[in-house]
Amino acid sequence: MAEQLVMCECGSGRTFASCHGHYLANIDLMSPSRRSLERIANNESFQRAVAAGRRREYGCGNPMHTWMKDGKRHVRVGKRVYIHDNWMNFGDFLLSYLRLKFGRDFWSNQAAAAAHNRHPVCEGFKELELASSLSDQSSRQFLHQPSRTLNALFSLAYDLYLCEHNGSIPSELIRRLRNADEYEGALYEAFLAGLFCRSGFAIEFENERDRRRSHCEFVATNKGTAKKFSVEAKSVTTQSARYGDSALPPSIRGKLYDALSKQADFPRIIFIEVNRRIKVGDGVPEWGPHVSDAVTKAEYNMRLDDGSVPDPAYLFVTNRSLLIEPGAESFGMQVAAAGFRIDDFPPERMSGLLSMQHSRMKHLEVYQLYCALMQTNPAPHHFDDQPIAAMFRGMLEDAKDDIHHPFDAYDFVFSTYRKSPPERLREWMADHVPQVELSKMSQLQLADRYSAGIRQSIWEDALAARRRKGERL
């Protein structure tokens, strides 16, 4: 059976390959553990290895587009081309880009402002100037650890770049970023916009100045399945008593209630940033059990102002710590995923691989977002006018073993057997599944069932190999 004739079973009326099957084209990003680029290069085409390397850098969003001409660096961002003769690396470009996006009036006002009234972005550039004066200019290496303002500066610049390179930056977001009182919330919103762009979504910001109703931050449309979601963001600020090193638990329930009270036209995805200090050696973060407990209780007894039960929602709780001085203990990012009144998300809540896989496909768009969030990379350091370089950088970051999760084994099998004729699949399963049951299955259902069945031996072999190496399971 030709692959293009297999229809997706979600009811979209499109083929599987052009709908939920799009995850197979990006399987090295959509599986919990990424496929080794070295394996891709050895077993598939060189062009696919280069493409996979670029996806490691840029996710499902548009890759960097840059070139040299007449001794000047050109960088295309969306429909615009930015040109400069002194950008030594991508970080140099991002800083120039951020200055441009904030506008001449902003910088003029900041130049006239007293030191204690400076905007955090201005403080970041002041610190950058100081660091540059203390650095080895020939190597452009800073001699100190970046502060929270500097970390936030580069993160914001890259997130705005991702927005424009994959769509546009709304003027309202820039307005909020320029306002010091709204900056921290807008900083998180910009991060989420960039995350959705690199996750394979198109975003459309809602008009929050329309006072006739409440609004979520933006609508995200998955480019694979065309399904839409209403996205809302909440964050703990530096003014909160629950920020940083506070002994108080994060206010998950309050933030969740505020988000669920917003009007939404599509299924909800809610993000909450807790802004806690991250410590080396953290397994489950101290706020993790509180999130689980708060969500469980809210599912049971939360009611909105009108007495109604809140809509179901996908919930992501993040801890980026960008607003906290890093020090010796702080590093990385922590993420917790939950389904508010969604019992089968994330898929790992389900028992058995077949149930897990069905959950993944049911919630594929949000699982795609989850994978991107878990694999989020910082802004690239280098200009990508040498595509092969991205492939080799990806190889250096690859794990030695590709099989770390049951989905990895399943994906390896399903990517092959999804093309098998249904009569052949029925023949292979005839000794294990009743014929009357097999006769009712579509080609995709047969491939799904067969892949789930034989993946067990692959998964068990992978676990055995890891035990022999003394790795934790």
Side-chain angles (χ1 to χ4, degrees):
M1 178 181 293
E3 185 179 1
Q4 63 269 23
L5 298 181
V6 178
M7 306 305 294
C8 192
E9 295 177 352
C10 71
S12 66
R14 300 193 296 171
T15 65
F16 177 72
S18 64
C19 193
H20 277 72
H22 77 275
Y23 89 97
L24 290 168
N26 299 291
I27 203 167
D28 53 308
L29 296 178
M30 291 291 292
S31 294
S33 301
R34 304 184 301 186
R35 283 188 69 195
S36 165
L37 283 180
E38 185 175 2
R39 177 174 294 181
I40 294 174
N42 288 338
N43 297 307
E44 301 179 29
S45 71
F46 180 75
Q47 289 76 12
R48 287 200 63 184
V50 171
R54 279 189 155 179
R55 286 197 298 270
R56 299 290 168 83
E57 292 273 352
Y58 311 112
C60 296
N62 293 329
M64 189 190 302
H65 188 189
T66 179
W67 64 96
M68 291 293 294
K69 183 179 180 181
D70 299 330
K72 297 181 182 293
R73 171 64 62 178
H74 293 61
V75 182
R76 181 180 296 280
V77 185
K79 297 179 180 179
R80 297 186 61 182
V81 176
Y82 298 84
I83 305 172
H84 203 277
D85 58 3
N86 196 33
W87 289 331
M88 295 179 63
N89 53 52
F90 190 62
D92 289 343
F93 159 74
L94 285 179
L95 294 175
S96 296
Y97 178 78
L98 185 60
R99 282 185 178 276
L100 181 63
K101 291 304 166 184
F102 269 66
R104 185 175 300 174
D105 290 345
F106 172 83
W107 296 110
S108 297
N109 293 336
Q110 286 296 305
H116 66 278
N117 285 330
R118 285 192 188 124
H119 190 284
V121 165
C122 183
E123 286 297 306
F125 275 99
K126 290 290 184 182
E127 181 178 333
L128 190 64
E129 291 173 5
L130 176 61
S132 297
S133 68
L134 300 174
S135 68
D136 175 1
Q137 291 296 317
S138 64
S139 64
R140 306 293 286 268
Q141 295 297 311
F142 296 138
L143 301 180
H144 78 303
Q145 185 177 27
S147 72
R148 66 182 186 181
T149 53
L150 206 51
N151 283 331
L153 193 71
F154 278 98
S155 176
L156 174 60
Y158 188 47
D159 291 332
L160 291 180
Y161 159 82
L162 289 171
C163 285
E164 183 177 0
H165 196 42
N166 292 277
S168 63
I169 306 173
S171 58
E172 177 64 10
L173 177 59
I174 295 295
R175 184 200 67 78
R176 292 181 59 214
L177 286 167
R178 288 174 180 149
N179 186 329
D181 293 333
E182 299 182 69
Y183 171 73
E184 291 182 3
L187 179 70
Y188 190 49
E189 186 177 329
F191 163 68
L192 295 182
L195 171 67
F196 274 83
C197 286
R198 73 169 84 184
S199 302
F201 287 79
I203 58 175
E204 180 181 356
F205 284 82
E206 296 201 14
N207 180 14
E208 295 194 57
R209 291 192 171 186
D210 177 5
R211 303 301 182 186
R212 293 172 295 180
R213 52 168 286 178
S214 60
H215 297 271
C216 293
E217 314 297 352
F218 55 83
V219 172
T221 304
N222 186 273
K223 294 180 181 178
T225 65
K227 187 172 182 179
K228 296 179 179 290
F229 298 87
S230 294
V231 181
E232 177 64 11
K234 297 293 179 183
S235 61
V236 173
T237 71
T238 55
Q239 306 304 310
S240 171
R242 299 173 187 272
Y243 155 82
D245 290 316
S246 173
L248 297 172
S251 54
I252 299 299
R253 184 183 177 97
K255 299 292 185 185
L256 181 60
Y257 179 87
D258 291 344
L260 289 167
S261 297
K262 294 288 187 74
Q263 291 178 266
D265 296 324
F266 306 103
R268 299 171 186 265
I269 303 178
I270 296 172
F271 281 82
I272 300 175
E273 167 60 41
V274 295
N275 269 316
R276 313 285 284 194
R277 185 174 296 281
I278 300 175
K279 297 181 179 180
V280 174
D282 272 358
V284 176
E286 46 84 18
W287 51 266
H290 179 78
V291 170
S292 179
D293 184 58
V295 171
T296 299
K297 289 180 178 178
E299 288 178 319
Y300 177 72
N301 59 24
M302 182 179 282
R303 296 294 183 272
L304 302 181
D305 283 346
D306 61 3
S308 63
V309 176
D311 293 335
Y314 300 98
L315 174 63
F316 293 94
V317 180
T318 63
N319 188 26
R320 295 201 300 157
S321 296
L322 274 186
L323 303 179
I324 301 172
E325 291 296 348
E329 294 186 326
S330 185
F331 78 110
M333 180 174 71
Q334 298 168 321
V335 181
F340 175 78
R341 300 184 58 224
I342 302 176
D343 294 336
D344 57 351
F345 185 86
E348 286 76 7
R349 297 176 68 176
M350 307 303 291
S351 176
L353 177 67
L354 199 57
S355 295
M356 288 172 59
Q357 168 61 8
H358 290 171
S359 170
R360 177 168 64 158
M361 297 305 288
K362 177 181 176 182
H363 307 290
L364 181 64
E365 301 87 356
V366 186
Y367 192 80
Q368 181 175 339
L369 178 67
Y370 177 55
C371 287
L373 186 59
M374 297 301 292
Q375 299 172 6
T376 294
N377 295 321
H381 297 294
H382 309 283
F383 283 116
D384 185 13
D385 43 7
Q386 297 294 327
I388 299 174
M391 182 184 73
F392 286 107
R393 287 198 296 272
M395 285 184 179
L396 293 175
E397 297 171 356
D398 277 337
K400 295 180 180 179
D401 185 355
D402 292 338
I403 307 296
H404 291 264
H405 188 284
F407 280 158
D408 300 324
Y410 172 90
D411 289 336
F412 176 76
V413 177
F414 184 72
S415 62
T416 298
Y417 289 105
R418 80 185 196 276
K419 303 177 183 179
S420 298
E423 58 274 13
R424 183 66 59 83
L425 292 168
R426 292 189 180 99
E427 177 184 340
W428 290 336
M429 289 188 285
D431 293 337
H432 307 282
V433 182
Q435 189 62 40
V436 64
E437 186 176 344
L438 291 174
S439 64
K440 297 177 181 179
M441 292 183 185
S442 67
Q443 192 274 343
L444 284 177
Q445 291 171 332
L446 289 165
D448 184 28
R449 182 70 172 269
Y450 184 71
S451 300
I454 68 170
R455 69 89 203 179
Q456 189 64 38
S457 61
I458 298 175
W459 175 239
E460 289 175 353
D461 288 346
L463 290 180
R466 293 174 64 187
R467 289 190 186 98
R468 289 193 297 270
K469 296 176 183 178
E471 296 180 13
R472 292 182 61 186
L473 305 179

